[in-house]
Amino acid sequence: MGTIDAFIFPVRFVRIISTQNVAGTLIIRFTVQGFPDVDSWPRTLTALQDYGKARLHDISARYGRYYPAVAQSDGLQIIETNSETARWAEVTNRVSMFDAFANSYFMMITLEYKSDRPAAQVAVSEDGIVVLSRSLVVVRCWFYGNKFHDDGRIIRIQSDENILRAASDSSYEIHSRYDDVEFWLHARQVTEKSRTILTVTLPGDPSRPGDLQTRISIPVVVKKPVLRRVGRGFLSATGASLVALPALLGTDAALTPRIIAAGVGATIIAIVTVFSS
């Protein structure tokens, strides 16, 4: 808004969590959400800037210096879609034309369990992404650049190996403008809830204008699954009951059932012990 060259272009939806005025500075906390549908926006830099200037002028003429930070207002209609990857590509295709990002790579990543189930998404909490202990997590990374630089650029993924251990290669060398790659991580067995920072980096070249480093840091919490703990507790109690059953039945009961009950109980306890280790 401070220059005659200013223009508007939507890149992401957010949900405002809180606002706080600290010594004249407004601090806004928000969570990032989906990507907007920008199919109607031009695909060339000059036309995109002109279109964005016209939209900004329409809004300013209507509301003056201050106007609502909403997706629907006079002169600007922004809608959200379900196709995250496609919309991310449409947004980055246009943003990469700006001089500030002309030589940079953009990345989008998702985390999900390695499972045959169609909806095996990880959970999200205030502490970060929550994954279950002893599970296999897939970090899928999409990247896009306006230009390809044949300089051996490498995507790397890092985390605390004591909490999240790499179950695949932890790096990938880029050989194209755009593609996607998967990294596998194994959540180690933990005795209590543990937290680490999962970092994905793609270096830039400081000597080249508009070639910025991409760095994504995600807090990940690994915890023991409640249902598994309950199941192990139930099986342990069942096994202990069967082991104690011969003594409860007394010597008047037949010997064979008592031996079978004790044997089955001991087997259950042994299985639970092995799979809990």
Side-chain angles (χ1 to χ4, degrees):
M1 295 294 289
T3 171
I4 59 174
D5 295 326
F7 64 95
I8 191 171
F9 177 68
V11 295
R12 200 77 182 260
F13 286 97
V14 300
R15 182 173 63 87
I16 303 297
I17 297 176
S18 65
T19 60
Q20 184 180 12
N21 193 326
V22 179
T25 300
L26 185 62
I27 300 175
I28 302 175
R29 296 181 67 239
F30 59 85
T31 56
V32 178
Q33 297 183 314
F35 295 93
D37 184 349
V38 296
D39 279 346
S40 62
W41 291 68
R43 294 178 178 274
T44 62
L45 180 58
T46 301
L48 183 64
Q49 290 174 326
D50 291 342
Y51 189 82
K53 288 179 183 178
R55 301 290 74 74
L56 185 58
H57 178 270
D58 293 341
I59 296 173
S60 300
R62 172 69 175 175
Y63 297 103
R65 183 178 178 184
Y66 301 100
Y67 55 91
V70 297
Q72 307 295 331
S73 60
D74 294 348
L76 183 65
Q77 301 293 318
I78 305 173
I79 61 175
E80 190 174 7
T81 68
N82 294 325
S83 181
E84 286 288 288
T85 307
R87 295 311 169 199
W88 170 81
E90 292 291 337
V91 170
T92 54
N93 176 269
R94 290 163 173 79
V95 174
S96 64
M97 295 187 296
F98 304 153
D99 292 340
F101 310 106
N103 290 299
S104 301
Y105 274 97
F106 294 84
M107 284 198 304
M108 181 182 76
I109 65 174
T110 61
L111 278 74
E112 59 186 20
Y113 290 118
K114 183 62 177 176
S115 171
D116 295 330
R117 293 176 295 166
Q121 298 296 321
V122 296
V124 180
S125 73
E126 292 182 356
D127 297 325
I129 302 294
V130 180
V131 299
L132 299 180
S133 172
R134 302 177 68 176
S135 62
L136 187 61
V137 180
V138 177
V139 180
R140 191 172 184 184
C141 173
W142 287 266
F143 61 87
Y144 178 90
N146 192 39
K147 301 174 183 177
F148 169 64
H149 303 292
D150 189 13
D151 54 4
R153 203 161 299 199
I154 296 176
I155 300 175
R156 300 186 187 277
I157 186 169
Q158 295 178 313
S159 63
D160 186 341
E161 288 283 323
N162 294 319
I163 302 174
L164 280 177
R165 178 180 57 83
S168 68
D169 292 337
S170 57
S171 62
Y172 176 82
E173 184 172 352
I174 291 179
H175 296 288
S176 60
R177 284 178 51 225
Y178 54 88
D179 204 346
D180 66 274
V181 59
E182 287 186 356
F183 300 101
W184 291 11
L185 295 172
H186 182 260
R188 288 184 178 273
Q189 181 179 352
V190 295
T191 56
E192 58 184 0
K193 187 163 61 174
S194 303
R195 188 174 185 267
T196 183
I197 300 296
L198 173 64
T199 304
V200 184
T201 57
L202 176 54
D205 185 351
S207 66
R208 184 183 291 120
D211 193 351
L212 306 178
Q213 173 181 262
T214 301
R215 181 184 179 90
I216 301 174
S217 297
I218 303 174
V220 178
V221 176
V222 177
K223 69 175 186 177
K224 297 180 68 174
V226 175
L227 291 178
R228 292 180 187 174
R229 293 202 302 267
V230 172
R232 284 197 293 267
F234 175 77
L235 288 176
S236 296
T238 302
S241 298
L242 289 174
V243 171
L245 184 60
L248 297 175
L249 293 175
T251 56
D252 294 336
L255 179 61
T256 301
R258 287 188 292 160
I259 294 176
I260 293 176
V264 171
T267 302
I268 292 175
I269 293 176
I271 292 174
V272 171
T273 302
V274 169
F275 282 95
S276 297
S277 62

